[in-house]
């Protein structure tokens, strides 16, 4: 156990020493798995994500201290210096008292939290801290009671109905000025099921703030199933699909044995340059059965892969005469039609062009507008060079890498 730095003014005592009798797993409840991680581990997520670093005390069953410490360390990550682990007592109140005994002298606000409320949102912790600081009083989260509540006799007969407008189902974390909690625990005679009752028993006011249904306590097997369900992805949620496409074309001048294109002379095989749906006057063209528009082709591949419809080669054929010299728009329009026929729409497309020529920046906006117009969805294009390395660095050709997001309609 490492010593917390003496700067924390907030402490969170996480009580996890109960036996979990009502859950009936034959082991301490805090160590039972909830969606692949222990209840204790999940309950610590918000504790170590607080705005300000808090001293954290985990109160665990005496026979599982090492395990609790490991879970705490894993959850704390870089904040592990703020962690202390100690053995609990026979009752919840006793367990809290043992945690309280370990607080640093700098701590002025104390939160007590049930590990069993494993899905409590971070915002609830922050709200409790803020309320205690602003009011100087204890603050506990509570929810209105929606069931009709009856008082019963010991034999299970219904007696009178309790006015539920006066009731609140309270949760944790419960926060208090440290002095009040210390005072209440020092005076404690009777056992209470929460800390607010103990603090109120010595005459201090405690405010109720808005709780969150997610902070429910995992007590019974039904509660555990409910928690498992909350952690499942939203039923019916259909994720969009991503795809990737890469295309390279050599400058026609390279394949015809001419000099490396200067970009100024319009040399090479006299092939015009078409790239990103634009004609580039005065630039050396790219080779290919079609017009060699690597940007358009990479986009087609990205769209087809996102939709699971194969790739541009298998779709259009690399030597089909009808595509001889065809511009990128032809391929993009047909790809879009195929996606539509399969029930997909395009979310967006991003492309990076790699090459020395043409100088892309001056016409980026124009190219984006043309391709966006063809696809009816945002297309963004960036361009880069490779510091003289490789075939793109030697100005022998270009590469385009595209990603696409498509979604089912
Ligand atoms: N707790 C504790 N020490 C105890 C008893 C309870 O630290 N001697 C903790 C539990 O680990 C739990 C919280 O207090 O996080 C609320 O208690 P409860 O839900 O009653 O848990 P258990 O006592 O473990 O469950 P059961 O009453 O069903 O045995
Ligand atoms: Mg209990």
């Amino acid at each position: 156990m490492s010593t917390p730095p003496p700067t924390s003014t907030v402490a969170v005592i996480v009580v996890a020493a109960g036996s979990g009798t009502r859950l009936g797993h034959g082991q301490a409840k805090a160590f039972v798995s909830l969606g692949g991680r222990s209840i204790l581990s999940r309950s610590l997520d918000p504790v170590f994500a607080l705005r300000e670093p808090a001293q954290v005390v985990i109160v665990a069953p005496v026979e599982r201290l090492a395990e609790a410490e490991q879970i705490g360390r894993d959850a704390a990550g870089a904040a592990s210096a703020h962690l202390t682990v100690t053995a609990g007592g026979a009752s919840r109140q006793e367990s809290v008292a043992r945690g309280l005994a370990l607080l640093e002298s700098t701590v002025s606000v104390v939160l007590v939290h049930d590990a069993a409320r494993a899905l409590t949102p971070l915002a609830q912790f922050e709200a409790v801290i803020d309320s205690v600081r602003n009011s100087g009083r204890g603050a506990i989260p509570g929810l209105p009671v929606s069931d009709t509540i009856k008082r019963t006799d010991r034999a299970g007969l219904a007696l009178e109905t309790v006015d539920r407008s006066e009731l609140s189902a309270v949760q944790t974390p419960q926060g208090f000025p440290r002095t009040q909690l210390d005072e209440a625990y020092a005076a404690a005679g009777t056992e209470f099921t929460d800390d607010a009752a103990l603090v109120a028993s010595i005459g201090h006011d405690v405010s109720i703030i808005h709780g969150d249904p997610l902070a429910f306590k995992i007590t019974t097997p039904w509660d555990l199933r409910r928690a498992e369900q909350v952690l499942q992805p939203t039923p019916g949620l259909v994720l969009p699909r991503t795809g990737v496409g890469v295309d390279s074309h050599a400058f026609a001048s390279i394949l015809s044995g001419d000099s490396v294109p200067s970009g100024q002379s319009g040399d090479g095989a006299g092939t015009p340059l078409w790239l990103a749906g634009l004609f580039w006057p005065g630039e050396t063209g790219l080779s290919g059965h079609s017009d060699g528009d690597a940007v358009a082709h990479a986009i087609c591949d990205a769209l087809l892969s996102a939709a699971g419809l194969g790739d541009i080669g298998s779709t259009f054929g690399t030597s089909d005469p009808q595509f001889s010299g065809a511009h990128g728009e032809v391929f993009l329009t047909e790809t879009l039609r195929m996606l539509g026929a399969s029930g997909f729409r395009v979310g967006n497309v991003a492309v990076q062009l790699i090459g020395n020529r043409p100088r892309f920046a001056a016409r980026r906006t124009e190219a984006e507008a043309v391709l966006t117009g063809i696809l009816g969805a945002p297309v963004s294009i960036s361009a880069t060079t490779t510091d003289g390395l490789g075939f793109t660095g030697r100005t022998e050709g270009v590469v385009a890498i595209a990603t696409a997001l498509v979604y089912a309609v």
Side-chain angles (χ1 to χ4, degrees):
M1 269 173 279
S2 36
T3 312
T7 48
S8 300
T9 58
V10 173
V12 186
I13 300 172
V14 180
V15 283
S19 55
T21 318
R22 286 169 289 176
L23 190 60
H25 272 236
Q27 65 162 329
K29 185 160 70 182
F31 299 87
V32 169
S33 172
L34 166 56
R37 285 165 57 200
S38 65
I39 286 177
L40 175 59
S41 165
R42 291 202 179 271
S43 73
L44 293 172
D45 286 347
V47 175
F48 286 107
L50 289 172
R51 280 196 297 258
E52 57 192 297
Q55 182 192 357
V56 179
V57 181
I58 300 174
V59 187
V62 67
E63 69 282 2
R64 299 191 81 160
L65 288 181
E67 227 175 310
E69 172 128 21
Q70 190 55 52
I71 291 170
R73 279 221 193 101
D74 290 346
S80 55
H82 296 251
L83 178 67
T84 315
V85 178
T86 192
S91 68
R92 183 187 184 281
Q93 194 163 305
E94 205 177 311
S95 293
V96 175
R98 296 201 181 175
L100 208 48
L102 295 173
L103 297 192
E104 286 295 308
S105 57
T106 50
V107 169
S108 56
V109 173
V110 184
L111 268 56
V112 182
H113 184 53
D114 293 335
R117 297 181 190 275
L119 302 182
T120 306
L122 172 61
Q124 183 148 315
F125 285 78
E126 303 282 14
V128 169
I129 295 172
D130 289 346
S131 178
V132 175
R133 284 238 170 87
N134 294 336
S135 68
R137 279 204 296 266
I140 62 175
L143 290 175
V145 173
S146 51
D147 289 324
T148 295
I149 306 286
K150 301 274 186 200
R151 203 176 302 283
T152 62
D153 72 4
R154 298 222 178 262
L157 282 182
L159 303 175
E160 81 277 10
T161 299
V162 181
D163 178 5
R164 70 177 173 218
S165 68
E166 294 180 350
L167 300 179
S168 182
V170 302
Q171 309 174 323
T172 70
Q174 299 193 344
F176 307 91
R178 183 201 184 148
T179 47
Q180 292 183 13
L181 198 59
D182 279 342
E183 190 189 337
Y185 269 86
T190 32
E191 282 282 335
F192 294 95
T193 55
D194 78 345
D195 305 286
L198 191 60
V199 169
S201 75
I202 58 161
H204 293 299
D205 287 338
V206 175
S207 313
I208 296 184
I209 64 169
H210 287 295
D212 190 308
L214 281 175
F216 69 95
K217 185 157 70 73
I218 299 170
T219 306
T220 62
W222 190 89
D223 296 325
L224 185 61
R225 276 201 302 280
R226 181 172 154 212
E228 299 269 7
Q229 271 165 12
V230 169
L231 290 172
Q232 303 241 319
T234 313
L237 175 72
V238 180
L239 294 171
R241 297 173 51 127
T242 66
V244 63
V246 179
D247 195 34
S248 318
H249 281 282
F251 287 110
S253 54
I254 298 299
L255 297 185
S256 64
D258 285 0
S259 59
V260 167
S262 69
Q264 308 303 321
S265 58
D267 56 2
T271 314
L273 176 66
W274 282 86
L275 192 64
L278 300 181
F279 171 58
W280 298 76
E283 292 281 349
T284 302
L286 292 160
S287 70
H289 177 62
S290 64
D291 69 355
D293 186 339
V295 169
H297 300 169
I299 293 174
C300 289
D301 261 348
L303 291 169
L304 291 168
S305 89
L309 292 173
D311 55 35
I312 192 168
S314 57
T315 304
F316 297 101
T318 46
S319 56
D320 188 330
Q322 69 165 313
F323 298 120
S324 171
H327 292 313
E329 179 166 6
V330 174
F331 298 98
L332 288 166
T333 306
E334 176 58 12
T335 300
L336 198 59
R337 191 199 62 73
M338 289 173 63
L339 257 69
S342 298
F344 288 107
R345 288 227 181 112
V346 182
N348 78 301
V349 168
V351 196
Q352 184 157 49
L353 173 67
I354 304 164
N356 292 342
R357 300 216 59 88
R359 295 279 177 218
F360 202 79
R363 300 187 71 192
R364 172 212 308 277
T365 316
E366 199 185 336
E368 288 178 340
V370 166
L371 296 173
T372 297
I374 295 170
L375 292 181
V379 177
S380 48
I381 311 174
S382 55
T384 189
T385 56
T386 49
D387 207 14
L389 298 172
F391 71 87
T392 52
R394 292 188 297 272
T395 321
E396 293 170 2
V398 300
V399 178
I401 302 172
T403 61
L405 196 75
V406 304
Y407 58 98
V409 282

